[in-house]
Amino acid sequence: MASTAKYGDTVCCPYHPEAYLIEDYRAGDQICSDCGLVVGDRVIDVCSEWRTFSNEKTSTNPSRVGGPQNPLLNGSDLSTIIEVENEASSFNTYGGSKYHNHRSMTSSEQTLIHAFREISNMADKINLPKTIVDRANAYYKQVHDGKYLKRRSYEAIASASLYIACRKEGVPRTFKEICAVSRVSKKEIGRCFRLIVKASDTQVNFISSKDFMSRFCSNLNLPTSVERAATNIAMKAVNLDIVPGRSPISIAAAAIYMASQATNDKRTQKEIGDITGVADVTIKQSYKLMYPHAKILFPNDFKFSVSIEQLPQF
Amino acid sequence: MEVVCGNRFLSNNYTESASSCGDGKKAVIEEPQMGEQGQEASNMEENKVVKDEIPVEIEPEPVVDIIINNVVSSFSVCSHLDLHHLALNGQNVELRRENGVLTMKLRRPPTTASIWSSGKVTCTGSTSEYQARIAGRRIARCIQKMDYNVKFKNFRIVNVLGTCSLPFAIKITPFSQKFRSAASYEPELHPGVTYRIEYPKATLKIFSTGSITVTAPSIDNVQSAIEHIYPLVQEFGKQRTEEEMVEFRRNQARKHAGVTAIEEFEEEFSESELEDYILDQI
């Protein structure tokens, strides 16, 4: 029998009440870190019962417990359900089924579940990793009961929280990209975004062109030399304030256009516009502002296949 | 700070004070160059003052014109209105069933009023507080003529929209970085910075061209908001380039063309005449 002492409500070693307890899951023990005394015993093992391999094609899952608990759902997703069968034994004399599955989730938790599923679907479409999805879920939960967002549709808040999660992780997605995988309009996502930032009292970093360069360039199949040149052009253009008032996305698109037109991998404004979501007239406008300064904007070690004088003027 | 108050032009004479270079001996105070400023907004002269010891401010004042574009007011006529009847018998009215709102447009002053069946009226399109009141009273008079027992109650100005154009362009990205708490800048959503101030209560939209639009509960708030923001923005000011100047002058010309039409209207009626005329009727 292990000796236990209750220091208030928590289990602790009787000789070292302040000592930190090491938990040994396999033996089910809690061991005092100072003297090695086994303090708690028969601690419930929370590891999974069966190891699952991805190449096993077993249709039956021998696990007797469900998946891991989602901490955002307050633990109410523990659900035991009774299998629905069509045998005579499960019906009473009046024809109604004897056993009912009482879903003990409140409607707010239902919306949480729907929203998490929605976020997960959207993230899947643009290949976002689980860290961002988890963060987006956390933001959604945070604003779920707030007074600011009471009347907004849950899809709009889900899209906005996904947008914020991407931004906070340092890999921002443009509003148009989130719009493409969501059913909500850009305006609504923008509104919800502002409300969530206000409600959670946080600040988001400003977007800059270089956050999007690698993604846009790889979608356009441009080599890294072009990508590096475009990043350089965009940064210099912003530092020299050649393009005041233009969105960083438009500057990025124009920079990619300029860099690609100077090599053999040319891309038209329309192609770049399709990938970045910027209208091709906007690219044209920004390019017109940047063209006169082309000499300064290009990096020093850039290999020109097309010289600067021969770059298109618009 | 002097305020020259016209009917709808509020010229804001902003006195700038310059400081010495720290040398103590000789201070050369130079006003930032304005380039060729054609518009009446700035009456700045080239300023080179060489001082011996103490910093002294004397500068010609840059004048910033604040134009009031829209004054929204609301009042109540204190009686239930039959919008359908009004729509059939009224002049210049339009009834939209889906909102339950009757729209009445006035020619002079050029305003639009939204009338609800509860008797509440919202009047937009005026360019001064006085004009808004006149418009409100005219609307009430129109309703009175169609045999309703009206009173002119709870008239208040809800919202005032003013614009102004600063003599310099603004670097909005560093500006919004400095004022993170009050300023919100999302280039993807809106090209301007939205700056909210608590006292006086106002929302300003600041653009990189140097134009600022202010939304506030009263015209005085608009003025104080601009005065409040001017030093903050001046730090991030920069010269306008040639193309920007061309664009700017074109915009100014367009705006002034619209403004002169209103001036003509106001010359016809002197203020006291108008007020007497309306008061007699109600």
Side-chain angles (χ1 to χ4, degrees):
Chain A
M1 271 298 284
S3 46
T4 57
K6 292 275 170 129
Y7 188 65
D9 231 347
T10 54
V11 174
C12 59
C13 171
Y15 304 107
H16 306 101
E18 301 294 323
Y20 169 63
L21 291 176
I22 303 169
E23 294 172 345
D24 182 358
Y25 287 110
R26 285 190 293 151
D29 296 334
Q30 280 177 322
I31 306 168
C32 169
S33 49
D34 273 350
C35 60
L37 185 68
V38 175
V39 177
D41 63 344
R42 297 182 231 260
V43 170
I44 296 176
D45 182 9
V46 297
C47 295
S48 68
E49 193 181 4
W50 296 95
R51 297 183 299 170
T52 47
F53 299 100
S54 54
N55 56 0
E56 269 182 17
K57 293 184 194 61
T58 48
S59 54
T60 54
N61 187 1
S63 169
R64 291 176 289 179
V65 300
Q69 248 188 332
N70 193 337
L72 299 172
L73 286 172
N74 293 331
S76 76
D77 56 343
L78 294 173
S79 59
T80 303
I81 51 175
I82 300 174
E83 225 180 302
V84 175
E85 282 181 9
N86 276 324
E87 303 221 336
S89 55
S90 56
F91 292 98
N92 61 19
T93 43
Y94 301 104
S97 53
K98 252 194 236 178
Y99 308 109
H100 299 276
N101 274 318
H102 287 290
R103 291 248 141 203
S104 59
M105 279 189 275
T106 61
S107 70
S108 71
E109 269 152 10
Q110 290 265 8
T111 40
L112 271 181
I113 303 236
H114 284 310
F116 292 164
R117 200 178 309 144
E118 186 75 27
I119 291 178
S120 163
N121 283 341
M122 288 196 288
D124 215 26
K125 288 184 202 161
I126 40 180
N127 298 322
L128 290 173
K130 191 165 180 304
T131 47
I132 295 188
V133 175
D134 287 337
R135 212 144 173 194
N137 287 346
Y139 285 124
Y140 186 91
K141 170 94 173 112
Q142 201 180 4
V143 302
H144 177 61
D145 299 315
K147 57 177 172 134
Y148 288 109
L149 292 139
K150 270 224 143 89
R151 287 200 203 94
R152 305 278 169 193
S153 76
Y154 78 89
E155 294 156 333
I157 311 178
S159 314
S161 46
L162 187 64
Y163 175 81
I164 294 182
C166 291
R167 188 124 152 203
K168 289 252 172 158
E169 290 284 327
V171 284
R173 299 292 187 270
T174 62
F175 274 108
K176 291 194 174 168
E177 287 176 308
I178 302 282
C179 237
V181 296
S182 161
R183 282 181 287 215
V184 190
S185 70
K186 178 171 176 252
K187 208 163 152 190
E188 188 61 27
I189 302 183
R191 273 200 215 122
C192 287
F193 162 73
R194 271 193 265 244
L195 290 173
I196 296 181
V197 168
K198 194 160 117 186
S200 48
D201 236 351
T202 47
Q203 284 171 345
V204 282
N205 291 330
F206 292 114
I207 53 175
S208 73
S209 309
K210 68 174 179 342
D211 300 328
F212 303 94
M213 273 308 171
S214 62
R215 206 162 2 108
F216 290 162
C217 288
S218 56
N219 285 343
L220 288 162
N221 297 320
L222 288 169
T224 47
S225 56
V226 176
E227 180 194 323
R228 251 184 292 127
T231 315
N232 214 307
I233 294 174
M235 253 175 32
K236 279 208 192 124
V238 169
N239 286 342
L240 298 172
D241 216 5
I242 303 173
V243 277
R246 299 268 159 203
S247 160
I249 321 286
S250 325
I251 302 178
I256 295 177
Y257 179 66
M258 193 183 258
S260 72
Q261 289 290 326
T263 60
N264 289 325
D265 282 300
K266 294 190 184 14
R267 297 284 179 271
T268 61
Q269 285 180 352
K270 187 169 181 316
E271 286 173 340
I272 301 180
D274 279 337
I275 296 285
T276 59
V278 183
D280 50 351
V281 287
T282 312
I283 304 181
K284 191 190 249 184
Q285 293 270 9
S286 304
Y287 181 73
K288 263 202 219 162
L289 288 171
M290 285 163 47
Y291 176 71
H293 304 94
K295 262 206 163 61
I296 329 168
L297 292 176
F298 273 103
N300 294 332
D301 52 356
F302 188 71
K303 292 193 187 57
F304 287 92
S305 319
V306 172
S307 71
I308 289 193
E309 289 80 33
Q310 292 172 330
L311 278 179
Q313 285 208 322
F314 56 87
Chain B
M1 219 158 307
E2 290 172 46
V3 171
V4 173
C5 201
N7 220 349
R8 87 222 143 268
F9 267 97
L10 291 175
S11 298
N12 181 4
N13 291 343
Y14 198 94
T15 313
E16 284 190 82
S17 59
S19 54
S20 78
C21 309
D23 200 318
K25 275 278 168 164
K26 270 197 172 185
V28 178
I29 308 158
E30 202 171 4
E31 207 58 49
Q33 288 294 356
M34 299 303 221
E36 335 94 286
Q37 300 269 326
Q39 75 281 27
E40 71 267 66
S42 84
N43 47 10
M44 285 250 300
E45 297 127 26
E46 170 93 53
N47 179 30
K48 265 205 169 139
V49 182
V50 175
K51 284 282 138 190
D52 269 329
E53 258 135 59
I54 317 157
V56 174
E57 63 268 56
I58 298 162
E59 253 80 63
E61 299 140 353
V63 175
V64 175
D65 273 335
I66 307 178
I67 307 174
I68 304 292
N69 291 96
N70 194 16
V71 176
V72 178
S73 57
S74 86
F75 60 94
S76 172
V77 295
C78 283
S79 84
H80 182 85
L81 304 172
D82 181 2
L83 295 185
H84 202 69
H85 169 250
L86 281 174
L88 291 173
N89 300 339
Q91 300 201 340
N92 300 322
V93 290
E94 194 178 86
L95 176 62
R96 288 212 177 269
R97 268 281 185 80
E98 64 260 13
N99 303 331
V101 168
L102 182 81
T103 321
M104 184 186 291
K105 292 200 183 154
L106 241 51
R107 283 232 155 98
R108 285 192 320 209
T111 45
T112 307
S114 303
I115 307 169
W116 276 267
S117 57
S118 59
K120 292 230 168 79
V121 181
T122 306
C123 182
T124 65
S126 338
T127 53
S128 76
E129 287 178 352
Y130 175 71
Q131 208 183 68
R133 198 178 175 87
I134 296 293
R137 292 187 83 103
R138 279 233 165 103
I139 303 282
R141 177 68 188 142
C142 286
I143 301 176
Q144 190 184 47
K145 277 193 172 157
M146 289 189 258
D147 299 325
Y148 286 95
N149 185 17
V150 311
K151 292 200 185 56
F152 192 68
K153 211 167 158 212
N154 292 344
F155 177 83
R156 62 186 186 95
I157 306 274
V158 174
N159 201 14
V160 172
L161 172 73
T163 54
C164 92
S165 201
L166 298 180
F168 46 83
I170 304 170
K171 296 194 205 105
I172 49 181
T173 315
F175 175 81
S176 56
Q177 266 164 355
K178 184 170 177 200
F179 298 103
R180 276 292 189 89
S181 51
S184 139
Y185 176 45
E186 278 302 316
E188 284 183 86
L189 296 177
H190 191 67
V193 184
T194 311
Y195 190 97
R196 286 178 211 273
I197 45 180
E198 293 276 308
Y199 181 76
K201 187 162 187 299
T203 303
L204 298 104
K205 292 211 166 76
I206 304 166
F207 296 89
S208 63
T209 53
S211 309
I212 302 185
T213 84
V214 188
T215 311
S218 70
I219 295 192
D220 298 320
N221 276 23
V222 171
Q223 167 125 20
S224 13
I226 303 248
E227 288 166 9
H228 178 254
I229 200 80
Y230 188 88
L232 304 178
V233 155
Q234 201 181 22
E235 224 182 295
F236 298 95
K238 64 170 177 151
Q239 269 258 293
R240 289 202 172 114
T241 63
E242 272 308 304
E243 302 122 338
E244 286 174 337
M245 286 306 303
V246 167
E247 194 59 50
F248 177 73
R249 275 197 221 112
R250 214 184 317 141
N251 282 340
Q252 292 295 83
R254 198 167 27 90
K255 280 185 205 160
H256 285 304
V259 157
T260 44
I262 301 177
E263 267 182 326
E264 283 164 11
F265 154 70
E266 302 218 334
E267 273 164 19
E268 281 190 46
F269 290 94
S270 81
E271 298 182 13
S272 54
E273 270 179 30
L274 260 180
E275 190 67 57
D276 288 338
Y277 170 74
I278 303 291
L279 278 175
D280 284 337
Q281 309 296 326
I282 299 183

